[in-house]
Every structure is written in structure tokens, then in C-alpha cells.
């Protein structure tokens, strides 16, 4: 005796509001304030990890200004913090220009 399998597919269109839409990649701009000043060797190590940030010390405050392409500002900031921490540095805070927050994703 042979078994017969019948497969039926039902296609249900999704409501547009239920679709998860990925944000388009955009350039995100922000500054990470570090807890310590990187020396020359450490700065070289940081530049080996990322190529979209500029390390500087302004008024004694070590910082990295980023122009990072990402789907969201949060994703860009989280990735940059992870990059900085992978080099042994910690981030004290993140600074943003007011326009960065007010602009649409």
C-alpha cells in the first residue's frame, strides 16, 4: 500500500504595518568621550580597528568623532563603543548635535 501526501499552501498577504522595514544605511555623526587619553601606539591600534573616526584631545578631554554608516543611530553608536572597548578603552559618554536627534531616521 502506498501513502499519498497532499500539500496545500495558503498565501496570506501581510498588512504593510506588520512588515519589518530595515532603515536605509545613512551616515551617522556623533562623538565618543573616552575615560583616558590614548597614547600614540594606542591611537594606531584604534585606527587599525576603525577608519571612520578621528581621535583628538580637546581641552584635555579625549574623544573620537565618528561619521559612521549604519541603519540607525543606535546601531552606529553601539558598534563604535564596541570597537573602542575592543582596544581596551572605555567610553564615558556619547555627545550628539541637537540636529542629529531631530532628523528622521
Amino acid at each position: 500500500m502506498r501513502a499519498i501526501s497532499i500539500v496545500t499552501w495558503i498565501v496570506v498577504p501581510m498588512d504593510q504595518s506588520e512588515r519589518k522595514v530595515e532603515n536605509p544605511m545613512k551616515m551617522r555623526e556623533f562623538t565618543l568621550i573616552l575615560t583616558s587619553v590614548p597614547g600614540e601606539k594606542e591611537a594606531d591600534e584604534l585606527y587599525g580597528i576603525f577608519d571612520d573616526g578621528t581621535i583628538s584631545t580637546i581641552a584635555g578631554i579625549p574623544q573620537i568623532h565618528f561619521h559612521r554608516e549604519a541603519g540607525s543611530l543606535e546601531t552606529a553608536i553601539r558598534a563604535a563603543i564596541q570597537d573602542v572597548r575592543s582596544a581596551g578603552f572605555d567610553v564615558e559618554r556619547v555627545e550628539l548635535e541637537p540636529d542629529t536627534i531631530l532628523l528622521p531616521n
Side-chain angles (χ1 to χ4, degrees):
M1 185 180 271
R2 294 176 76 183
I4 298 175
S5 297
I6 298 175
V7 176
T8 303
W9 292 90
I10 300 174
V11 177
V12 179
M14 288 177 52
D15 183 358
Q16 290 289 3
S17 63
E18 294 177 15
R19 287 189 182 174
K20 182 178 179 182
V21 178
E22 189 67 29
N23 287 334
M25 299 294 274
K26 291 183 181 179
M27 195 60 67
R28 313 296 178 160
E29 190 174 345
F30 55 93
T31 301
L32 300 183
I33 306 301
L34 306 180
T35 57
S36 61
V37 178
E40 197 170 319
K41 182 179 176 183
E42 296 162 322
D44 288 341
E45 183 180 347
L46 284 164
Y47 281 126
I49 296 169
F50 59 78
D51 63 358
D52 55 355
T54 303
I55 303 167
S56 63
T57 302
I58 300 173
I61 300 171
Q63 51 195 281
I64 306 172
H65 186 77
F66 281 92
H67 288 89
R68 182 160 285 203
E69 191 172 4
S72 72
L73 180 59
E74 179 182 357
T75 300
I77 291 171
R78 286 181 182 273
I81 290 173
Q82 184 177 0
D83 288 348
V84 170
R85 286 184 174 162
S86 73
F89 287 89
D90 204 10
V91 175
E92 182 177 312
R93 68 181 182 273
V94 178
E95 291 186 355
L96 305 165
E97 293 296 321
D99 291 348
T100 304
I101 303 287
L102 301 175
L103 292 175
N105 269 350

